[in-house]
Amino acid sequence: MSTNTPLAAAPLTERQPAGVRRGRAGSTTRAQAVTGYFFVSGYTLFLVFFGILPALYAVFLAFTKQGAFVGVDNFARVFADYRFLPAVAHVAAYVAIWLVALLLFVVLLALIVHAIRVRWLSNASRFIFYIPGALAGAASVMLWLFVLDPTVSPVSFLLRALGSESLVTTVQLDSLPIVLAIIAFWTGAGGWIVIMYGALNNISTDVMEAARIDGSGPISTAWYIQIPLLRKWISYMAILSLAAGTQLFVEPRVLSQATRGVVPQDYSLNQLAFLYAFRQNDFNGSAAISLVLLVVALGLSVFFVFRGGLFERD
Amino acid sequence: MSSQHRRPFTRSRRIFAATAAVAVAGMLAACSGGTGEVNEDYGFAIAEQVEGSPITIWADATRQPAVEAFQAAHPDIEVDLVIDDGSASGSATFQTKIALADQAGEGWPDVVFSTQNNDASWASKEANGVQAFAAPLNKGYFDEDFLDGFTSGALDPLTVDDTVWGLRNDLAPVLFWYNQQLMDEFGYEVPTTWEEYEALGERLATEHPGYFLGSVGDSFVGPYVYYWAGAAPIFQVDGNTFSSDVNAPNSVRVTEMLDTMVANGSLIQDSVFSAEFVAKSANLLAIPGPAWYAGALFQNPDSVNAAEGQWGTAEPLYWEGDEKVTGNVGGGTWFASSHSQNLEAVKTFLEYIVSDPEVAGTGGLPAYQSAADTWVADQASSGFFSGDFETSINTAASSVWSGWGFPNFSAETSYSKIVVPALAAGQSIADVADAWQTEMENEATVVGYTVQ
């Protein structure tokens, strides 16, 4: 992209007289700028009012109590809460399982779908993968409630074979990170497979052909050519999924209500923040948890950005 | 490169300053809204009253017909009914929405219905500089004569330091329900004590496997039906002190009884509201449970769907040689908002909804004595339940154990978090009793109680 632009502009520069060139180029830039500002204005407005302002308000709340500065008191209170560390462990276990599964299987499935030469089968596969993602979070959990309950599940034989006789036994705390990871993978992976498929299509046919001529098989091509070239996309997926994963809320919340509290209401950090704000009227503690989440997610995202070379230009 | 970046950075700083200023303004706005002067007629700081202004009521779907009956009876009062879940199963819908209104400084409803008795201890407290949501009712707002009309003890869960913060909708004392037809068929006597109940379970498991005497699959059943009714001191409050003792003699007795009956199959683990329970309900021989089981289970076509005369009621079970006490499972509460701009309309509504014999109790045993008398007489004369319905329910209503506490958190959450999964995994309650107590004590500490 960066190499194409000057090449395209170069002949134009030579054809136009200098004055005209500068004037047209200047006015075009201003018009483009105005259009650009117009297009981003809506996003910026929403970002300010529903992203930046609430975040600033959370920073204010996290370091104050009744409007007075209290230093790190709110953080200390939250860290000392008996529910905090288990919630951290739950989210960490879930994110670890889900993220690894997502990275592995999305890339693998995208490579397989990309390798399918039968057009209708390739199209059908992508469509089938994508369909579950069309269900919104809460709706997909409602669907999974039926799948996970051996008394009504279409795969009850499988659940019973795994030793589960009721919904309560299926969603025992030990197995919950896996259950939640399966739900999240099922709803989210399809979209990423389609994106990865697009990225694979972007790999130059010259490169692929050269690999083939050099005697590279599908596996070595995937390992030495395709996956390295997908590195940025994989990082991108990891960052966005990480942000979503640490915000775990809807799935355990719905499961909690469906199981009448067997899945605890303080399972995830976001749920704990919710309880602080709305059960204990402690918005300061809630803001402290939110800030911790923000810092952790930002830290891990920065790691992926630099490891994945997301900001590097080719 | 660096020059290109300087301008946006300056701009972003400006944007940051502007957003920070707006944020601070928002914070100051959110922090405003302190308490005003106490109004002598009402006994609390009231909002500016607007005569004829509509009143907003938050209630669950079960209460909807009663609210509509009020609208028909009082067309002069404009009512805006908002249906929610009544904070059932500890969902805390009430707290969530009021906390948001408190932050916003507006948007409070005029009346709220909650299924949770322990909401009073929460709704009576000032939070974040905003006055308590619930209006005190016995400081001049409601007449003493009217408040005295409630069944003795009905307002106790809603009374904090001699101030009444809500009106009880219905009572939910635990009594004993039994299948008269099956009892006759098997040749069993209706138990009167917990010891007889446990013995009946062992006999039933041996002689008629598959038949059962209740369920421990709901988070309300364990604490309220068995431990409360068994006078087990696992959920007690004294001022700001919370205590729980799963190793007290009565607690251990209840635990051992439940563990024995779960092990022999005479108690099942399905929720009484689940399809599995309904599917097995033909094998239900008897069950201790609240007064509202009358409509929720037995006279409900989607549940047990009993035939007339098939089921009977008996007085609550008790420990042999102990005081004859019982438990209590909820009984909804109506709260008036201290922020209401039409307190007179709110008062008219609340008086109607809790005391009118046609609607009071909204299907359960009304908490208002005169309405309760009518309800019990109607139920007894209908002859649907065999046994002495009137005596059973009146005895239960007057013998709720007073040792149970009403802190601002629910006994259900710790039971569902620790005990229900343990039972499902094949453990006994005794195995996790200490962990259960620790969970309750932790919950109490988090919400500000001193644990004894």
Side-chain angles (χ1 to χ4, degrees), chain A residues 37 48 53 56-57 60 66 81-83 151 168-169 172 253 260-262 264-266 274 278-281 283, chain B residues 11 19 27 30 90 92 95-96 99-100 103 127-128 218 271 273 276 416-417 420-421 424 439 442-443 446:
Chain A
Y37 285 134
V48 168
L53 276 182
L56 288 175
Y57 187 37
F60 170 79
Q66 302 267 25
D81 191 314
Y82 79 105
R83 299 167 294 183
T151 53
V168 173
T169 45
Q172 291 276 327
R253 173 89 178 160
R260 297 177 198 283
V262 170
Q265 296 179 349
D266 48 24
F274 184 84
F278 301 119
R279 188 69 65 84
Q280 296 164 222
N281 267 338
F283 284 85
Chain B
R11 237 181 250 150
T19 50
M27 286 176 240
Q95 284 100 321
T96 306
L100 284 173
Q103 284 294 102
N128 300 323
D218 286 292
S271 161
F273 302 116
E276 297 80 58
S416 55
K417 184 176 179 179
V420 174
E439 177 69 21
N442 282 335
E443 279 193 79
V446 162

